Each structure stands twice: as C-alpha cells, then as structure tokens.
Amino acid sequence: MFTGIVEELGEVTAVEKLGDASRFRLRGPVVTEGAKHGDSIAVNGVCLTVVDLGDGEFTADVMAETLNRSSLGALETGSRVNLERPMAVGGRLGGHIVQGHVDGTGRIVDRKISENWEIVKISLPAELTRYVVEKGSITVDGVSLTVVDAGPDYFTISLIPTTLALTTLGIKEPGDPVNLEVDVIAKYVERLLGDRDREDTK
C-alpha cells in the first residue's frame, strides 16, 4: 500500500521493448536505498516490481495490460517520473490509501497560474465520474490530491509550490496523459450497496 506522498522525482534511463511488454530502467537513489529484488515501487502511481537494481537505479517489467491501462506506455528515455516506496507498517498515512492500481487515464486540460498555487483541470473518463466528489481524494500520477471541483467529465486540483517543484505535475502540459486512481473506499461502498440492493429485491 502507498500513501500518494511522492518521495522522489526520478528519471527513466532506458526503455527496452519486449513485444507485448516493456522493461524500464529508472533512476531513483532515494527509493532504491535498502530496496531488494521483488520489492514494490510506485512509478507515476503504478505499483511495479523491482527486477534488478544497482547504482541508484532499478529495473521493472511492465506487461501489456499495464501499458494499455496507464500512461506508462508513453514514457521514454529522459522522462521524469514520480517514485514512492510502499508505506511501512506503523508509518504515517500522510496522503490517503493508494493501491498503485490505476483505474484509468485522464489528460491535462488547462492550468490556471496564480501567485502561490495553480489550479489544474484534468479530463475524467465517464466510468470514473461516480467515484470523484468535491473535497474527496484522488491520485494523479501517484500524487495524493484533494478534488476542488468535480464536473461531468473533468475535475480540478489545486497544487501548492512544493507539489509543483517535487513532482511531475509541475512540468505536465495541456494534452499530457496522467494516471488516475480513485479512492478505493468509494469502490467498496458501491459494491456493498449494490449487494444490499440485490438482496432487498429477492
């Protein structure tokens, strides 16, 4: 489990195409410290398994399903990425519960710059709109954020200078894709209510 608090702005150092999969090599001295083969690291909000590591870099294999359902397929050598290690048992839940299982992708629609923050508008796939509510939690490229406004096919977020400086959200431009993970609690509530409604109709 992750919390959506990015630990490091890393970089893709190599991409190897493997037919229906890809192998990424990523630089992240902070997240690789103490890491070992088989550990999990979230890359732009996607939970990946460490295959190999050394000299502050790690390698991860990404299957077709993940490439198709996330924005990782658009990464290339030199791309910057948000990196986070799983939360340790007993650690602080600084953001919200993040699984590293991307629900879909959106695109940066617009950015409004003010003196101390930015309001960013992001497109929202139709199948995810029911999970996104004003002042609720959402994960964008692995960053735990609070929804400012929830529209019919979009939502907005407010980014403080720290988030702009330390994550990829500071360099994303209109048209760029982003990974979205909605609050898992909302999905469980929907399932439980649906099961209850089916029981009531029997």
Side-chain angles (χ1 to χ4, degrees):
M1 187 184 80
F2 305 90
T3 72
I5 305 300
V6 173
E7 294 184 89
E8 183 174 17
L9 189 56
E11 181 181 354
V12 178
T13 58
V15 179
E16 181 182 358
K17 302 294 185 181
L18 303 172
D20 62 349
S22 291
R23 176 168 295 162
F24 292 96
R25 188 159 189 85
L26 307 106
R27 179 157 183 78
V30 173
V31 297
T32 55
E33 184 177 356
K36 60 185 184 302
H37 172 81
D39 283 353
S40 296
I41 295 176
V43 178
N44 281 356
V46 182
C47 179
L48 298 180
T49 301
V50 174
V51 174
D52 190 20
L53 51 84
D55 297 325
E57 298 187 343
F58 70 99
T59 300
D61 291 333
V62 184
M63 301 296 100
E65 172 71 8
T66 304
L67 293 171
N68 292 335
R69 293 181 64 92
S70 75
S71 66
L72 294 191
L75 294 178
E76 55 189 21
T77 301
S79 294
R80 304 306 300 273
V81 289
N82 298 321
L83 302 175
E84 181 192 355
R85 291 170 290 188
M87 185 179 76
V89 175
R92 295 180 184 274
L93 185 58
H96 71 282
I97 297 173
V98 177
Q99 295 182 296
H101 303 159
V102 171
D103 293 303
T105 58
R107 288 188 180 274
I108 304 293
V109 176
D110 185 42
R111 306 185 71 118
K112 294 185 184 298
I113 303 174
S114 72
E115 184 178 356
N116 296 306
W117 65 83
E118 283 192 28
I119 297 293
V120 180
K121 183 178 181 180
I122 301 173
S123 65
L124 184 63
E127 65 272 17
L128 299 182
T129 57
R130 63 185 182 274
Y131 302 116
V132 179
V133 297
E134 184 178 329
K135 300 302 184 286
S137 296
I138 192 166
T139 308
V140 180
D141 267 1
V143 184
S144 173
L145 296 163
T146 299
V147 175
V148 175
D149 182 32
D153 59 359
Y154 72 90
F155 66 96
T156 61
I157 52 176
S158 181
L159 303 179
I160 62 175
T162 296
T163 305
L164 292 168
L166 301 181
T167 75
T168 60
L169 297 183
I171 57 178
K172 292 278 186 175
E173 299 179 352
D176 286 344
V178 290
N179 293 320
L180 305 176
E181 181 183 332
V182 299
D183 191 346
V184 68
I185 295 175
K187 292 192 286 187
Y188 279 124
V189 169
E190 178 185 57
R191 179 61 183 266
L192 289 170
L193 290 177
D195 289 345
R196 187 186 67 178
D197 290 342
R198 284 190 288 273
E199 288 294 327
D200 290 343
T201 59
K202 290 182 180 179

